[in-house]
Amino acid sequence: QVQLVESGGGLVQAGGSLRLSCAASGSMFSINAIAMGWYRQAPGKQRELVATITSGGRTNYADSVKGRFTISRDGAKNTVFLQMNSLKPEDTAIYYCNTVMIGAATIPLGSWGQGTQVTVSS
């Protein structure tokens, strides 16, 4: 069974940066072998997909974060990262990672963890 644990959130001023981590554990599970995604959920809003990275390393981003966020992974640490720069107050949300299936739509495959809170002050 795969367990994903998010960390790295916090309070930051607009224009600042944060790097989120998603550490994966579980027997025979490698983040290099599966597509991973970062999602976020702001208060009163639906969860939305922010970024994905395929097993081949191809990345994709929501228009709202393109050019500001970067998804990456470290296979040796079995960890996926989300580097967030030029943060805006509208980026405030709880951020989650998950394994995903990418097709006509991107579908989260696993259960949701606790997430990590990101708060951007103006």
Side-chain angles (χ1 to χ4, degrees), residues 10-104:
L11 173 64
V12 64
Q13 288 189 330
S17 298
L18 284 173
R19 189 174 83 152
L20 307 184
S21 298
C22 169
S25 62
S27 61
M28 307 299 291
F29 178 79
S30 169
I31 55 102
N32 284 333
I34 193 168
M36 299 289 297
W38 280 99
Y39 291 77
R40 68 185 181 187
Q41 187 167 20
K45 294 188 177 182
Q46 287 189 333
R47 195 171 334 221
E48 63 172 346
L49 179 64
V50 173
T52 58
I53 184 166
T54 68
S55 58
R58 186 172 69 248
T59 59
N60 197 35
Y61 301 91
D63 287 343
S64 58
V65 307
K66 205 169 289 184
R68 299 188 298 122
F69 290 11
T70 302
I71 187 171
S72 63
R73 64 187 179 209
D74 183 332
K77 297 180 179 179
N78 225 17
T79 300
V80 178
F81 302 100
L82 187 68
Q83 177 67 43
M84 306 186 298
N85 299 326
S86 303
L87 282 162
K88 304 176 181 180
E90 52 262 45
D91 294 318
T92 295
I94 300 175
Y95 284 71
Y96 304 86
C97 64
N98 209 333
T99 54
V100 297
M101 181 172 68
I102 299 174

